[in-house]
C-alpha cells in the first residue's frame, strides 16, 4: 500500500481517536467514578494511576487504562528538566487500548504499515505524554527529548528470540517505526512528548 493511502487512512483514524480522547479526558484526572442508575450506584470504575511493564514501575503520574502493562522508565526529574517544566508542573501520562473494533481505520493503517515490514502486529495503545499544572493537562512537545517507554507483551506475543519494533502514528498521519529491545517480557523504546497511536510489531 502506498504511503499516501496510509496517511489518508490515518487522518480519518486519528480524527476518531481525538474524539475518543476528549471523552476519555473527562475522567482522566479522577481515581474513581460511580455510574448511577436512578438513586442507586450500580458500578464503580477504578482508574489506575500507575502501571508496570518488564518489571519496571512507571515513573510518572497519570492514567494507565491499557490492558497490557505500560511504563515510562525515564525519571520524572529528567523529563521535567529536559522539557523545561516549571514549579508546580509534573509529567503526566495517559494510556489506553487502541481497539480494532472501535478504531478500525487506525488498526487497518497500522496493519498496512506493518505489512510493509513483513511484521505481525501485537499490542496497540493510544499514548499521551504530557504534563499537569494546577489541575490543567497539556501535551509535551513532540520535538522534545527522548522518553523511554515500555509495553508488556501478552504471552501469545512474547518471544525473547524475536525481533521487535514499535509503530508510532502521530496526528496528521506522520508515522515512524521505532527501534525496540526486548527486556523481561516487554519491549522498550524511545519516543518523545505529545500523543500518538502505538503498536508493537514482531518480525
Amino acid at each position: 500500500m502506498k504511503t499516501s493511502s496510509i496517511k489518508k487512512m490515518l487522518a480519518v483514524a486519528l480524527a476518531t481517536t481525538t474524539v475518543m480522547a476528549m471523552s476519555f479526558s473527562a475522567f482522566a484526572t479522577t481515581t474513581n467514578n460511580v455510574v448511577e442508575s436512578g438513586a442507586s450506584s450500580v458500578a464503580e470504575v477504578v482508574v489506575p494511576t500507575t502501571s508496570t511493564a518488564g518489571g519496571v514501575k512507571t515513573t510518572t503520574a497519570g492514567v494507565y487504562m491499557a490492558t497490557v502493562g505500560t511504563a515510562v522508565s525515564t525519571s520524572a526529574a529528567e523529563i521535567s528538566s529536559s522539557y523545561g517544566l516549571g514549579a508546580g508542573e509534573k509529567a503526566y501520562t495517559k494510556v489506553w487500548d487502541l481497539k480494532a473494533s472501535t478504531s478500525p481505520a487506525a488498526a487497518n493503517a497500522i496493519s498496512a504499515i506493518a505489512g510493509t515490514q513483513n511484521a505481525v502486529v501485537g499490542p496497540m495503545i493510544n499514548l499521551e505524554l504530557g504534563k499537569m499544572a494546577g489541575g490543567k493537562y497539556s501535551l509535551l512537545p513532540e520535538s522534545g527529548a527522548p522518553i523511554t517507554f515500555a509495553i508488556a507483551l501478552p504471552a501469545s506475543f512474547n518471544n525473547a528470540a524475536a525481533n521487535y519494533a514499535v509503530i508510532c502514528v502521530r496526528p496528521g498521519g506522520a508515522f515512524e517505526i521505532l527501534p525496540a529491545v526486548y527486556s523481561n517480557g516487554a519491549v522498550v523504546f524511545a519516543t518523545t512528548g505529545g500523543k500518538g497511536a502505538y503498536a508493537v510489531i514482531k518480525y
Side-chain angles (χ1 to χ4, degrees), residues 184-203:
N184 195 24
V187 294
V188 180
F189 60 97
T191 187
T192 58
K195 65 182 176 181
Y198 290 77
V200 180
I201 58 173
K202 180 171 65 175
Y203 299 92

Side-chain angles (χ1 to χ4, degrees), residues 142-163:
E142 293 179 21
S143 58
I147 297 173
T148 305
F149 196 81
I151 301 175
L153 300 172
S156 60
F157 207 72
N158 188 344
N159 182 353
N163 294 315

Side-chain angles (χ1 to χ4, degrees), residues 22 36 56 65 81 83 114 121 136 176 178 194 196 203:
M22 290 171 63
E36 299 288 344
V56 176
M65 295 291 290
S81 175
Y83 281 83
V121 179
K136 295 183 178 180
E176 58 184 324
L178 306 171
Y203 299 92

Side-chain angles (χ1 to χ4, degrees), residues 82-97:
S82 61
Y83 281 83
L85 272 59
E89 296 183 321
K90 65 178 182 179
Y92 198 89
T93 302
K94 296 181 183 181
V95 56
W96 67 102
D97 291 330

Side-chain angles (χ1 to χ4, degrees), residues 124-182:
M124 299 187 296
I125 62 170
N126 292 295
L127 172 63
E128 294 188 2
L129 294 167
K131 66 179 180 180
M132 192 70 74
K136 295 183 178 180
Y137 173 77
S138 61
L139 294 169
L140 294 173
E142 293 179 21
S143 58
I147 297 173
T148 305
F149 196 81
I151 301 175
L153 300 172
S156 60
F157 207 72
N158 188 344
N159 182 353
N163 294 315
Y164 292 95
V166 174
I167 294 172
C168 172
V169 180
R170 297 288 190 174
F175 64 88
E176 58 184 324
I177 299 175
L178 306 171
V181 296
Y182 178 92

Side-chain angles (χ1 to χ4, degrees), residues 7-97:
K7 286 185 176 180
K8 288 178 182 178
M9 294 171 65
L10 291 171
V12 174
L14 289 168
T16 303
T17 301
T18 301
V19 172
M20 293 176 63
M22 290 171 63
S23 60
F24 174 83
S25 298
F27 66 83
T29 57
T30 63
T31 55
N32 293 282
N33 282 328
V34 177
V35 179
E36 299 288 344
S37 177
S40 61
S41 299
V42 295
E44 182 175 344
V45 179
V46 177
V47 180
T49 58
T50 189
S51 182
T52 302
V56 176
K57 184 177 180 180
T58 192
T59 61
T60 65
V63 177
Y64 294 86
M65 295 291 290
T67 52
V68 294
T70 55
V72 176
S73 59
T74 301
S75 72
E78 183 177 342
I79 295 172
S80 293
S81 175
S82 61
Y83 281 83
L85 272 59
E89 296 183 321
K90 65 178 182 179
Y92 198 89
T93 302
K94 296 181 183 181
V95 56
W96 67 102
D97 291 330

